[in-house]
Amino acid sequence: MDWLPLLSTLAGAAIGIVATLIADRNRWKREDAKEALRLRLDIYTQYTTTVKVLGETLRALAEREHPSDDERALALREAFRDSGIATASERMWLIAPQPVVKASNSVFHCLRSICDGYVDGTAVSSPEDRARWEARGKAAARMRKLMREDLGVGPLAERHSPRAEDPVGPATAAE
């Protein structure tokens, strides 16, 4: 019996099986990478949205009249706690790469500082308040830059313009 055709058929089948397995593994890796990217995009979107809404809420509460300083402080602390920033931050700690986590943590602490300043009686648009908002804006811009790099979308070609009536408030150029 001639074994050469049988061996070549077996070798061809083995090569075909191995090639199929390699192709399936590569396809699985690509799909897994796409899913991880989608997950990070969702987490980044949730975090940046929470940051923006929380900033606007804190500023609005600080501008509002309150019956007492204690009630003002309570409203500000409740807004911070109820904003979802802690949950969004924990998701970042679990999923994002270290540079993004560090940047998002910096934004978190800037917002905490803004909240604490308002609790302590810092006036909206005072020099101290403007400095805190500027620090938050710079931290948010750095965070977004790192997020965009991680997502592979590159830097923005242009930035949003600040509102004329609010040069360093929640809608700054770093938004």
Side-chain angles (χ1 to χ4, degrees), residues 52 56 59 63 160-173 175:
K52 184 170 183 121
E56 291 170 355
R59 187 172 181 97
E63 290 175 328
H160 296 280
S161 299
R163 295 185 309 202
E165 69 273 9
D166 188 16
V168 289
T172 63
E175 290 291 336

Side-chain angles (χ1 to χ4, degrees), residues 38-127:
R38 275 192 288 274
L39 177 61
R40 288 195 315 276
L41 176 60
D42 289 346
I43 289 169
Y44 295 169
T45 302
Q46 178 195 18
Y47 194 81
T48 56
T49 302
T50 302
V51 162
K52 184 170 183 121
V53 170
L54 176 56
E56 291 170 355
T57 302
L58 291 175
R59 187 172 181 97
L61 285 171
E63 290 175 328
R64 186 178 302 156
E65 287 291 324
H66 296 276
S68 70
D69 288 344
D70 287 341
E71 288 187 29
R72 177 181 193 230
L74 181 63
L76 287 159
R77 287 187 180 119
E78 283 179 353
F80 197 93
R81 185 185 62 241
D82 295 343
S83 70
I85 190 95
T87 302
S89 181
E90 286 301 318
R91 291 185 78 202
M92 292 289 282
W93 279 88
L94 291 172
I95 301 298
Q98 184 179 3
V100 176
V101 170
K102 283 181 72 176
S104 68
N105 197 40
S106 178
V107 173
F108 178 93
H109 287 291
C110 286
L111 283 167
R112 179 89 258 170
S113 176
I114 289 167
C115 181
D116 291 344
Y118 289 151
V119 165
D120 292 339
T122 300
V124 173
S125 297
S126 67

